[in-house]
């Protein structure tokens, strides 16, 4: 919970990209513990926020699609391409 709170504080201070790195410490966990699930929700929100910050269209798309995948419970892009 401290890691999640730190990531949220970083985002509030305008450091969304750093917050995304911090939240990964929890969000990339292998199971569905409440803290991991919450971290993935926070990461989805951070991805949406980051999409608004970056200019390159491909980057915006990657952040938005990552947010959608996280909300759907998918934590990896592995196996999505043939």
């Amino acid at each position: 919970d401290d890691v999640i709170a730190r990531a949220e504080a970083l985002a509030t201070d305008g450091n969304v990209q750093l917050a995304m790195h911090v939240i990964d410490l929890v969000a990339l966990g292998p199971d569905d513990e409440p803290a991991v699930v919450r971290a993935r929700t926070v990461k989805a929100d951070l991805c949406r926020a980051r999409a608004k910050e970056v200019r390159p269209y491909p980057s915006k798309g990657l952040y938005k699609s990552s947010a959608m995948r996280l909300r759907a419970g998918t934590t990896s892009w592995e196996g999505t391409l043939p």
Side-chain angles (χ1 to χ4, degrees), residues 35-81:
V36 174
V37 171
R38 180 167 176 254
R40 290 176 184 158
T41 300
V42 170
K43 184 171 180 177
D45 294 341
L46 293 172
C47 285
R48 283 200 175 94
R50 186 69 180 142
K52 293 176 184 177
E53 293 179 346
V54 298
R55 293 190 51 119
Y57 184 78
S59 296
K60 287 181 179 294
L62 286 171
Y63 283 120
K64 288 178 182 179
S65 58
S66 292
M68 289 187 323
R69 292 178 66 79
L70 284 164
R71 289 271 184 203
T74 305
T75 59
S76 174
W77 285 94
E78 188 174 323
T80 58
L81 297 175

Side-chain angles (χ1 to χ4, degrees), residues 1 4 31-39:
D1 286 338
I4 296 170
D31 51 31
D32 291 328
E33 290 185 23
V36 174
V37 171
R38 180 167 176 254

